[in-house]
Amino acid sequence: GGSSITGASCTTGGAQTTVNATIRVTSGTYDGGCQRFNAGSALGDGSQSESQLPVFRVENGATLRNVVIGTNGADGIHTYNGAVLDNIYWMNVGEDAMTIKSSGTTTVRNIEGYDAEDKFFQVNAASTLNVSNCIIHRAGKVLRQNGGTTFQINVTVDRCDINTMSEGVFRTDSSSSTARLTNSRLHNAGTVCIGSWSSCTQSG
Ligand code: ADA
Ligand code: CA
Ligand code: CA
Ligand code: CA
């Protein structure tokens, strides 16, 4: 596996902008034009503090594309009721990179992100998450279903390069959740399936 993994096509050298209030995407497509969006201090400092706000909040199936989250990542991107994230680059993940805040299907494709101290994807509601073509380097884990929760999530990760996880790839406390990793390249990625998954597989 592991062919045609290219990550994001935005580079990090574009125009920069400071985000002092979460940018909310409620319908249609928000195209960031590969600008670098740096969280201002009003959103947080990119530490492990849980009180930080996201740079973007994407709702109701709307699409966010062509975005670089700069070196203050704060609480990354939150999705509500499903969303599409396409061509997103996290230069230095803050508290986490992306959080599913309410139920729906979130599609994430053509992304890359670096230096998440703990989680990259955080899932806080029963939902479906489909990720394809990603590069995730240096994190605790690729995905965590919110600790202690037992709702069902269904996750697929296809064509990803996962390098240097201090803990592993997928972690849940739910015995109804499923995760599937396909066609991916793993290096020093820890344990693929951690916790009580109903089904958790790696192939390709
Ligand atoms: C931790 C914390 C949760 C929630 C989560 C998140 O798991 O215990 O309450 O804040 O992080 O969404 O980042
Ligand atoms: Ca957290
Ligand atoms: Ca970081
Ligand atoms: Ca968070």
Side-chain angles (χ1 to χ4, degrees):
S3 60
S4 67
I5 299 173
T6 56
S9 64
C10 288
T11 58
T12 59
Q16 298 194 45
T17 180
T18 301
V19 179
N20 290 307
T22 299
I23 298 168
R24 201 165 160 181
V25 183
T26 57
S27 66
T29 297
Y30 182 104
D31 188 332
C34 291
Q35 278 189 91
R36 194 204 290 192
F37 295 83
N38 298 302
S41 57
L43 302 186
D45 60 4
S47 71
Q48 286 296 285
S49 163
E50 294 290 352
S51 58
Q52 298 176 78
L53 297 170
V55 181
F56 289 94
R57 166 181 170 141
V58 189
E59 306 170 32
N60 301 330
T63 297
L64 177 67
R65 71 162 48 108
N66 303 333
V67 161
V68 178
I69 308 270
T71 50
N72 179 3
D75 211 45
I77 300 170
H78 289 184
T79 75
Y80 289 77
N81 311 328
V84 177
L85 308 184
D86 181 22
N87 198 24
I88 314 287
Y89 190 124
W90 287 260
M91 294 177 68
N92 184 342
V93 173
E95 203 281 312
D96 48 36
M98 190 210 85
T99 307
I100 293 180
K101 299 285 281 186
S102 70
S103 295
T105 296
T106 297
T107 301
V108 178
R109 55 179 177 251
N110 312 321
I111 64 128
E112 65 192 273
Y114 300 88
D115 296 296
E117 279 179 51
D118 185 7
K119 301 132 180 188
F120 195 86
F121 296 115
Q122 167 83 27
V123 182
N124 292 356
S127 56
T128 297
L129 172 63
N130 297 130
V131 180
S132 64
N133 186 25
C134 76
I135 296 174
I136 299 176
H137 289 191
R138 300 181 299 276
K141 43 207 167 279
V142 170
L143 178 136
R144 176 64 158 126
Q145 175 168 352
N146 202 12
T149 62
T150 55
F151 51 73
Q152 181 176 352
I153 70 170
N154 298 105
V155 180
T156 65
V157 172
D158 184 52
R159 287 189 297 122
C160 287
D161 182 309
I162 298 168
N163 190 312
T164 312
M165 301 294 113
S166 60
E167 186 179 348
V169 180
F170 300 125
R171 184 178 184 116
T172 192
D173 299 324
S174 171
S175 56
S176 59
S177 292
T178 69
R180 194 150 58 93
L181 178 64
T182 50
N183 305 314
S184 292
R185 199 153 62 209
L186 274 64
H187 177 80
N188 191 21
T191 305
V192 173
C193 302
I194 306 163
S196 52
W197 295 98
S198 168
S199 163
C200 179
T201 61
Q202 178 188 4
S203 63

mmCIF file of all heavy atoms in Angstrom, residues 15 35 57 59 186:
data_model
loop_
_atom_site.group_PDB
_atom_site.id
_atom_site.type_symbol
_atom_site.label_atom_id
_atom_site.label_comp_id
_atom_site.label_asym_id
_atom_site.label_seq_id
_atom_site.Cartn_x
_atom_site.Cartn_y
_atom_site.Cartn_z
ATOM 1 N N ALA A 15 0.326 34.259 1.674
ATOM 2 C CA ALA A 15 -0.019 35.417 2.498
ATOM 3 C C ALA A 15 -0.522 34.947 3.859
ATOM 4 O O ALA A 15 -1.116 33.880 3.973
ATOM 5 C CB ALA A 15 -1.103 36.230 1.809
ATOM 6 N N GLN A 35 -4.039 30.766 1.770
ATOM 7 C CA GLN A 35 -3.481 31.683 2.771
ATOM 8 C C GLN A 35 -3.140 30.912 4.037
ATOM 9 O O GLN A 35 -3.714 29.859 4.315
ATOM 10 C CB GLN A 35 -4.516 32.749 3.149
ATOM 11 C CG GLN A 35 -4.618 33.919 2.216
ATOM 12 C CD GLN A 35 -5.511 34.972 2.829
ATOM 13 O OE1 GLN A 35 -5.068 35.864 3.534
ATOM 14 N NE2 GLN A 35 -6.801 34.833 2.573
ATOM 15 N N ARG A 57 -14.901 26.755 11.952
ATOM 16 C CA ARG A 57 -16.017 25.904 12.351
ATOM 17 C C ARG A 57 -16.840 25.671 11.090
ATOM 18 O O ARG A 57 -17.322 26.629 10.470
ATOM 19 C CB ARG A 57 -16.819 26.645 13.420
ATOM 20 C CG ARG A 57 -18.166 26.074 13.707
ATOM 21 C CD ARG A 57 -18.878 26.915 14.767
ATOM 22 N NE ARG A 57 -20.260 26.465 14.849
ATOM 23 C CZ ARG A 57 -20.956 26.343 15.972
ATOM 24 N NH1 ARG A 57 -20.416 26.700 17.119
ATOM 25 N NH2 ARG A 57 -22.187 25.900 15.958
ATOM 26 N N GLU A 59 -19.996 23.641 9.112
ATOM 27 C CA GLU A 59 -21.280 23.071 9.524
ATOM 28 C C GLU A 59 -22.134 22.583 8.353
ATOM 29 O O GLU A 59 -22.008 23.101 7.248
ATOM 30 C CB GLU A 59 -22.103 24.153 10.249
ATOM 31 C CG GLU A 59 -21.370 24.793 11.387
ATOM 32 C CD GLU A 59 -22.106 26.022 11.921
ATOM 33 O OE1 GLU A 59 -23.344 26.065 11.879
ATOM 34 O OE2 GLU A 59 -21.407 26.941 12.380
ATOM 35 N N LEU A 186 3.058 3.262 7.178
ATOM 36 C CA LEU A 186 3.258 3.538 8.604
ATOM 37 C C LEU A 186 4.736 3.420 8.958
ATOM 38 O O LEU A 186 5.396 2.468 8.547
ATOM 39 C CB LEU A 186 2.462 2.543 9.450
ATOM 40 C CG LEU A 186 0.999 2.907 9.741
ATOM 41 C CD1 LEU A 186 0.179 2.959 8.472
ATOM 42 C CD2 LEU A 186 0.392 1.915 10.719
#
